[in-house]
Every structure is written in C-alpha cells, then in structure tokens.
Amino acid sequence: MHSTLSFSQATTVPTTNYAFHSQSPINLRFCGLRREAFGISILTRSSSGRVRLSTRGRSKRTSASTGNNGTPPKSFDYDLIIIGAGVGGHGAALHAVEKGLKTAIIEGDVVGGTCVNRGCVPSKALLAVSGRMRELQSEHHMKALGLQVSAAGYDRQGVADHANNLASKIRSNLTNSMKALGVDILTGFGTIVGPQKVKYGKVGFTDNVVTAKDIIIATGSVPFVPKGIEVDGKTVITSDHALKLEFVPDWIAIVGSGYIGLEFSDVYTALGSEVTFIEALDQLMPGFDPEISKLAQRVLINPRKIDYHTGVFATKITPARDGKPVIVELTDAKTKEHKDTLEVDAALIATGRAPFTYGLGLENINVVTQRGFVPVDERM
C-alpha cells in the first residue's frame, strides 16, 4: 500500500490557470491567496456537467464535476485529504480538484486560517486605518491640500469591525470557491490515526474517520510564547488577540521587534498609544536587511511615541489584575541579571510563530518532528 504525506507551504499554484473577469486589474494580494479569495473567478459548466476554468484566450477543463469532484479508488474515501483550510490548504485543494482528485479538507477552526482570520488580512486592514489617521493628523499635509480638519478621532469598535468584515468576506469567498468545485469541507480537529487514515471531530462529539490515498498537512503556525510569560488574552496578548482590537491601551510593551511587532506599533501609535519595544538582541529589527532596518527606524520609530530596550529578555510578564498594571521583568541577555521592571497597561507578545503540529498524530505514522517542524524533501 503506497502512502504519501505532504506538507503544504503558504504558496499556491500559478493563478494563470484561471481567468478572472473584472473591469479593472486586481492588485490586492495576501500571502499567495488565489484570486478566488476575492470573489472574482468565474466557473462555467460544460454540457457534460463538468467544471470549466477559463484562461486567457483558452480554456482548461478539470476532470471533476461540481457534484462529485472525482472518483476515489475503491479502497479509499478520497484521493486526497488536506488537514488545514488556510491559504496553503485552500490552494492545494483547488489544484487537486483541477487534476481530477476527489478531495476533502479538514478545518478545526474557520476557513482561511491565520492569514485571513488572524494575520495578513486583518492586520493590513488595521494598517490602512492607521495610515488614514496619520494623514488626518498631519496638519502640514492637510494644509498642502487646502483642507482644514478638526482633531481626528476614531471609533474603536468601528475600526475592529472594519478588519473583521474584510476577513469575513474573504473567508466566505474561500469557502464558496471550494464548495463550487465540490471539495468536501469537514469540520473538526484532524488527527492522523494511521497510514492513510484521519479522524476528525469537535470536542464532545463522536469522531469521524475517513481514508485517503494521500494526506497533505497544511496546519500552519501559532504564536510562539516564551516561558515565563502569562497570556490572559486581555492585557497580555498575542497577535491573535491584538487583531480583535478589543481595547487600545495608553502604554503597551511589545516583546519582539520583527515585522509583527513593527506593524502593531504602527497601529497602536496612530490610535494614540505609547509603545515600548523589548528586544533580546542588541538592535531593533535584527532580522531585517540593514538598509531596510535603518529606513524603518527613521520613518516608523524615531518620529513616534516609541522607546525601546535592547539586549534584554522579558523573563516574566504578569497580566494586570486587582487594580495592578501589567508587570514586565527585564533580564540582561548577556549577564542574565535583573535589569529593570516595567509597569504598563498591556503587553503584546510578538516573538514569532511556531509550527502547529501538536496533536496531529504524526507519531502514529512514525514522523518525528524537528522543533515542531515536519522534515520534508525537496518536493515537500
């Protein structure tokens, strides 16, 4: 019995396999999202009832019908099961159906994964708001346009709804694009229980078991939280919580100065917060290209209400409770001695992301992870 286990990247097959009919070019792109995510693809049905995906000047016919996306081998429920319906899983599902495979995708949360629901899409929506706020707050810019604007304000819930509504629209488009091609969307947390066998289900309900010739893991990542940091989801938060914008603190400490921390510093300072970066290495944005780092420092940090501590670890962070603020204890990265204690209104943990492979049952098929990552070859 032949079995293949693949690991899906957050990239997709070229979108030139499709034609997208619109009045103007669509330039909006998030993390390799196929254009179906924006609701601009057109599916046509041939006289045989099969799905035809149009391309520029020609057409490409899949071997799957809308009602039955391919015929699986007699001994399996599906040709392919994909665990995870984020950007990687969605792209893999659509490509598989194009190739005539009967496909199912298992999602334990909501379609769209991190990118659509807790990452690229809502974060860029918030950044769009912060950009507009800065324009309105720039007296020089407004005067140059001949405009007079009183003090700019914002509705926190309205801003949060703006980000959520955009994510919801794209999530719906992703779901509909898979349903239109007959991809079976199975709801529940997926676990591999043996070669070519996956169970899925919700807590408190009976699990279902399905089989497939091949399995793709597309479970993505989750925020990484270092030891000693207590996340309560309210005053000590990760990017998952921050994107909901449930409150805007007067002073927020951001642990980690990579792209996630930098984006949120832009949003929070535009909305009136003071920001303190905490970075373990000797300079901010240590993973950036040096020239980009210098430019970001000059444009995105120096002119704003941002200060920073470098060369220190946030070894302990305690959420606000009983009227007390969030306590951040800083330790020198080299000497390991206590260096300072901060009392802030909130702390955002932006120390990177980790693979989401815990509980997948990889041990049941003798896959040994490396720091949570699935070892793969050049073909994934």
Side-chain angles (χ1 to χ4, degrees):
M1 182 181 294
H2 172 68
S3 174
T4 302
L5 182 69
S6 300
F7 194 76
S8 172
Q9 290 177 310
T11 55
T12 63
V13 296
T15 54
T16 50
N17 286 346
Y18 291 84
F20 305 94
H21 304 280
S22 63
Q23 298 299 315
S24 59
I26 300 296
N27 296 318
L28 189 63
R29 298 286 284 160
F30 295 108
C31 280
L33 272 176
R34 291 172 66 129
R35 295 187 185 183
E36 294 88 344
F38 306 104
I40 54 175
S41 63
I42 289 183
L43 305 177
T44 58
R45 187 191 302 271
S46 68
S47 58
S48 65
R50 296 182 182 276
V51 175
R52 186 188 300 273
L53 303 176
S54 301
T55 58
R56 295 182 185 274
R58 60 187 177 87
S59 65
K60 181 171 183 176
R61 188 191 301 263
T62 71
S63 58
S65 67
T66 53
N68 179 14
N69 65 357
T71 303
K74 293 181 179 179
S75 55
F76 299 107
D77 298 313
Y78 296 95
D79 289 305
L80 176 67
I81 289 176
I82 302 164
I83 304 177
V87 173
H90 171 263
L94 267 58
H95 186 61
V97 173
E98 289 177 35
K99 299 303 180 182
L101 303 181
K102 182 171 178 61
T103 305
I105 193 164
I106 298 174
E107 177 53 57
D109 188 14
V110 288
V111 170
T114 296
C115 174
V116 173
N117 302 290
R118 301 175 297 278
C120 329
V121 172
S123 69
K124 300 311 174 289
L126 293 181
L127 285 171
V129 171
S130 68
R132 291 294 175 88
M133 277 294 291
R134 293 188 195 283
E135 287 183 13
L136 295 172
Q137 291 168 346
S138 174
E139 184 178 346
H140 174 75
H141 178 66
M142 291 291 103
K143 188 175 181 180
L145 296 174
L147 300 176
Q148 294 180 347
V149 180
S150 58
Y154 67 91
D155 170 24
R156 181 201 58 78
Q157 188 59 54
V159 174
D161 289 344
H162 163 66
N164 182 63
N165 290 341
L166 179 60
S168 179
K169 180 178 180 180
I170 294 179
R171 181 169 62 245
S172 177
N173 290 337
L174 288 174
T175 303
N176 291 338
S177 66
M178 290 191 289
K179 287 182 177 179
L181 289 178
V183 175
D184 289 346
I185 301 175
L186 311 178
T187 303
F189 188 86
T191 302
I192 300 170
V193 294
Q196 302 169 300
K197 186 180 294 185
V198 180
K199 72 174 181 180
Y200 69 96
K202 294 183 177 181
V203 176
F205 293 87
T206 304
D207 288 336
N208 299 286
V209 177
V210 287
T211 60
K213 181 179 179 182
D214 297 310
I215 299 170
I216 288 179
I217 295 175
T219 48
S221 62
V222 292
F224 170 71
V225 179
K227 293 180 179 179
I229 297 177
E230 182 184 346
V231 173
D232 67 348
K234 296 178 180 178
T235 58
V236 180
I237 59 179
T238 67
S239 57
D240 285 2
H241 307 108
L243 287 166
K244 297 177 183 177
L245 203 70
E246 292 184 343
F247 86 113
V248 178
D250 292 332
W251 183 13
I252 184 168
I254 299 180
V255 183
S257 62
Y259 69 91
I260 296 175
L262 199 61
E263 285 187 339
F264 279 105
S265 74
D266 187 278
V267 172
Y268 281 122
T269 53
L271 300 182
S273 301
E274 294 185 20
V275 170
T276 296
F277 273 116
I278 299 169
E279 173 56 56
L281 298 181
D282 292 332
Q283 64 182 46
L284 293 178
M285 300 167 283
F288 287 30
D289 176 274
E291 290 301 315
I292 294 177
S293 179
K294 290 178 183 178
L295 179 63
Q297 178 94 26
R298 187 171 73 247
V299 176
L300 302 178
I301 293 180
N302 293 345
R304 300 177 179 175
K305 294 181 179 179
I306 298 176
D307 65 352
Y308 49 89
H309 299 266
T310 57
V312 293
F313 290 117
T315 48
K316 186 177 181 180
I317 299 181
T318 306
R321 57 172 65 101
D322 301 327
K324 297 180 180 179
V326 175
I327 306 297
V328 182
E329 297 184 15
L330 303 181
T331 300
D332 189 284
K334 295 179 180 177
T335 65
K336 303 298 187 288
E337 295 179 355
H338 180 267
K339 190 170 184 178
D340 202 354
T341 299
L342 304 179
E343 295 185 355
V344 295
D345 299 305
L348 167 62
I349 314 306
T351 47
R353 300 183 66 83
F356 183 38
T357 52
Y358 179 77
L360 272 178
L362 295 173
E363 66 280 0
N364 296 326
I365 50 173
N366 300 318
V367 171
V368 179
T369 59
Q370 299 174 358
R371 295 181 297 112
F373 290 94
V374 178
V376 296
D377 60 19
E378 66 280 358
R379 299 186 63 188
M380 300 303 293

